[in-house]
Amino acid sequence: MRINIDAGHGANTAGKRTPPIPETIKVNDKITIKKGEQFREHIASVGVANYLEKELLRCGFDTMRTGWDDDNPYDDEDTGLSARQTAIAKADCDYSISIHFNAFGDGNSFNSAEGIGIYIHSKYVGQSKKIADIVLKHLLQGSYQKNRGVSPASLAMCNCNNMDVKGAIIIELAFMTNKREAVELMANEAYWKESAIEIAKGLCEYTGIKYVPEKDQYVPAAPINQMSDTKAIKWLQEHLNKANPNYTIPVDGKYGPKTRIAALIFAETKGWDWSRATGYAVGQGTINTLKKI
């Protein structure tokens, strides 16, 4: 079964980027957004697409790419929609998933529009509606976001007829014109991976293929606190986000107030007596519980 993974737009497509980011953000070891810079949609889309391909290949799917060629998003031309459709049709794909981030307003300033939603074609629907419903269900189990639902629209990358596929969806993962979603989700590699996992789980459920999770070999071997290394703190933040879907925190490797609150919330959900704890450290018992989530 072959699934096309489409990364929306191109590296230098006009518009298609956040308003100026109000703070410096380290997305990963290769990408840092400096204060006042704009973050391009295509970079985040390729980040998700790259993770999604790994997820699907591990689960036994065949994949192809449109709009991107490798994990470097900075040299991708904005391939025309017709060319993308033709490539998908010629490759005999079964389904197509197009990754995007949404926008509202003039693009120069942040506003309150928010949430995650999926588009299907208004006329050439195929199996897209059911796929979209299942994928959206899984996406909503991750970081808390407003549910914008599944919407029909006459958009090229969900036109099953022109791409000769059984189903095609466009996923708008977050609003790049919403400050919180731009900073905490779009410019967050952990969210890219989280979204890829959830999309893959949705596709597996729809197709009846067993989802094969990635083996997480790394588990911190010592209690985690503010002096711990970045890798250990990020591990803690990622697992706290899984445990506390209604209170997600940035995965930045810094054990700050938000991580402290997330640790306390997790302890409360487990019924542990942390009345004397500050929340600025978690022990091996907490680590062992979190690694099972």
Side-chain angles (χ1 to χ4, degrees), residues 11 24 36-37 48 89 91 100 103 107 124-125 138 140 143 168 176 195 203 208 239-240 261-262 264 280 282:
T24 296
E37 288 184 342
V48 177
H100 287 256
Y124 302 110
V125 183
H138 283 274
L140 291 170
S143 298
M176 57 185 156
S195 298
L203 290 170
H239 284 73
L240 286 173
I261 292 170
L264 291 172
Y280 277 114
V282 299

Side-chain angles (χ1 to χ4, degrees), residues 2-18:
R2 177 171 292 175
I3 296 180
N4 178 67
I5 304 170
D6 178 72
H9 309 296
N12 297 303
T13 305
K16 312 307 177 186
R17 60 200 69 196
T18 69

